[in-house]
């Protein structure tokens, strides 16, 4: 699976939302499903899927789907 | 009660008189007040009387939580009962950018650690409005278990909504905390 698809599926699984919800404009205040609990489920999923260890500041900064792509790029993951 | 405690990148400092106006503004903001049991508007006079009432009251403690050198919220323990080993915790975070990620866990963990490790308590309990789904999920993720029994409350709600009652035992907390705390890499 390509990194972009892995990322999308990680969001679908962690936030428990349909794939259609996952767009670059998705931000954590924009849907009720993306709360602090879902955020930590998402972080665990991303670390598992991409085999990375994210800095805590990156975990805090990951406030949108687009931002997740940008942060993962720092870890040489191009989504 | 300690005036300063630091863990998980968060520092909690005992609430002082100079914090009062900042805290009152946070507490009166609609996004914070909507989740409170008492949603009355708090005047400066009410706030001062409340603060004066905390002096020499060993059953209540309030701290300001600091993160990255910035005050971000309030944590509290009320109904502290040392003989029974129980207390009712409370917390809120004001800056929007710190509300929906790992920071609420950092803040909850420092408060829970203080209660269990420093004060030696064995059970924390609290109430959540049924429509506050994010808070329900958050507390369950932290190890809280829903109970039916009604514990004494430090304040009565003036909001016509249902409340869920939750309890946190130390062992449940530590089992729930550790898988999340591993992401706090400060």
């Amino acid at each position: 699976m390509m990194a972009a698809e892995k990322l999308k599926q990680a969001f679908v699984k962690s936030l428990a939302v349909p794939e259609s919800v996952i767009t670059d404009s998705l931000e954590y205040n924009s849907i009720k499903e993306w709360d602090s609990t879902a955020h930590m489920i998402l972080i665990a999923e991303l670390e598992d899927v991409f085999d990375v260890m994210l800095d805590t500041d990156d975990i805090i900064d990951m406030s949108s789907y687009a931002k997740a792509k940008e942060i993962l790029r720092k870890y040489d993951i191009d989504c | 009660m300690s005036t300063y405690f630091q863990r998980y990148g968060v520092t909690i400092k005992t609430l002082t008189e100079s914090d009062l106006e900042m805290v009152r503004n946070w507490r009166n903001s609609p996004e914070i007040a909507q989740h409170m049991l008492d949603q009355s508007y708090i005047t400066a006079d009410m706030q001062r009387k409340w603060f004066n009432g905390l002096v020499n009251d060993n059953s209540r403690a309030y701290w300001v939580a600091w993160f990255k050198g910035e005050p971000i919220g309030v944590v509290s323990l009320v109904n502290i009962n040392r003989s029974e080993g129980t207390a009712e915790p409370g917390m809120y975070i004001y800056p929007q950018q710190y509300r929906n990620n790992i920071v609420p866990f950092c803040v909850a963990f420092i408060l829970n650690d203080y209660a269990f490790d420093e004060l030696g308590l064995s059970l924390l309990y609290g109430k959540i409005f049924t429509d506050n789904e994010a808070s329900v999920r958050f507390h369950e993720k932290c190890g809280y278990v829903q109970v039916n029994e009604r514990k004494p409350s430090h304040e009565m709600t003036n909001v016509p909504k249902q409340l869920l009652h939750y309890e946190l035992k130390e062992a449940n907390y530590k089992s729930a905390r550790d898988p999340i705390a591993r992401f706090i890499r400060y």
Side-chain angles (χ1 to χ4, degrees):
Chain A
M1 199 186 295
M2 299 292 285
E5 185 59 23
K6 284 184 182 176
L7 179 63
K8 182 172 271 191
Q9 291 310 315
F11 269 76
V12 166
K13 183 178 173 185
S14 306
L15 305 187
V17 294
E19 203 170 311
S20 57
V21 172
I22 312 300
T23 65
D24 277 347
S25 62
L26 177 64
E27 296 183 349
Y28 72 29
N29 291 319
S30 62
I31 56 170
K32 71 176 176 59
E33 288 85 354
W34 196 345
D35 58 17
S36 52
T37 305
H39 190 80
M40 293 317 301
I41 293 169
L42 173 64
I43 295 303
E45 183 70 11
L46 293 178
E47 290 203 353
D48 187 38
V49 166
F50 293 111
D51 194 23
V52 290
M53 189 176 279
L54 299 168
D55 288 344
T56 305
D57 285 344
D58 287 332
I59 294 172
I60 293 168
D61 288 343
M62 201 174 287
S63 55
S64 71
Y65 187 64
K67 190 73 180 177
K69 289 181 181 177
E70 182 187 322
I71 287 169
L72 287 173
R73 224 169 280 135
K74 288 167 49 179
Y75 297 83
D76 297 325
I77 299 160
D78 195 1
C79 299
Chain B
M1 217 76 73
S2 176
T3 57
Y4 184 95
F5 190 60
Q6 195 166 37
R7 264 178 206 183
Y8 310 112
V10 174
T11 303
I12 57 173
K13 300 178 188 175
T14 297
L15 180 75
T16 64
E17 196 166 353
S18 61
D19 298 320
L20 286 185
E21 196 56 18
M22 171 185 72
V23 167
R24 187 172 77 88
N25 287 331
W26 287 347
R27 178 65 176 75
N28 280 332
S29 66
E31 59 266 41
I32 300 296
Q34 67 175 320
H35 300 304
M36 296 293 171
L37 297 182
D38 183 350
Q39 298 183 5
S40 310
Y41 180 81
I42 297 166
T43 65
D45 188 48
M46 288 162 69
Q47 182 86 340
R48 180 159 301 282
K49 282 178 182 162
W50 167 80
F51 181 73
N52 290 340
L54 296 177
V55 178
N56 298 325
D57 184 349
N58 291 326
S59 72
R60 295 185 293 166
Y62 286 79
W63 299 266
V64 172
W66 291 70
F67 184 68
K68 293 182 179 290
E70 175 191 359
I72 63 163
V74 173
V75 297
S76 59
L77 291 172
V78 300
N79 288 326
I80 301 168
N81 186 325
R82 299 281 194 130
S83 57
E84 289 189 5
T86 61
E88 189 171 0
M91 65 173 266
Y92 62 80
I93 294 171
Y94 184 71
Q96 183 66 49
Q97 74 267 29
Y98 294 140
R99 280 191 208 155
N100 289 339
N101 47 47
I102 199 171
V103 178
F105 288 100
C106 299
V107 174
F109 290 170
I110 191 173
L111 179 62
N112 294 347
D113 281 12
Y114 186 81
F116 289 126
D117 298 343
E118 301 297 312
L119 296 184
L121 303 180
S122 55
L123 181 78
L124 300 178
Y125 62 90
K127 301 170 293 297
I128 308 168
F129 286 124
T130 49
D131 64 352
N132 192 353
E133 292 174 22
S135 183
V136 167
R137 280 161 51 83
F138 177 80
H139 282 83
E140 289 179 350
K141 191 75 174 170
C142 289
Y144 276 84
V145 175
Q146 193 180 340
V147 292
N148 292 323
E149 60 190 295
R150 183 169 288 272
K151 293 281 183 182
S153 170
H154 68 289
E155 56 186 347
M156 294 302 292
T157 177
N158 56 0
V159 182
K161 289 199 283 193
Q162 294 277 317
L163 287 165
L164 299 171
H165 293 251
Y166 276 87
E167 283 185 355
L168 181 64
K169 293 179 179 163
E170 184 176 4
N172 289 351
Y173 163 57
K174 291 185 172 166
S175 297
R177 176 197 63 188
D178 293 347
I180 300 170
R182 71 189 172 95
F183 295 107
I184 306 169
R185 295 160 181 150
Y186 288 119

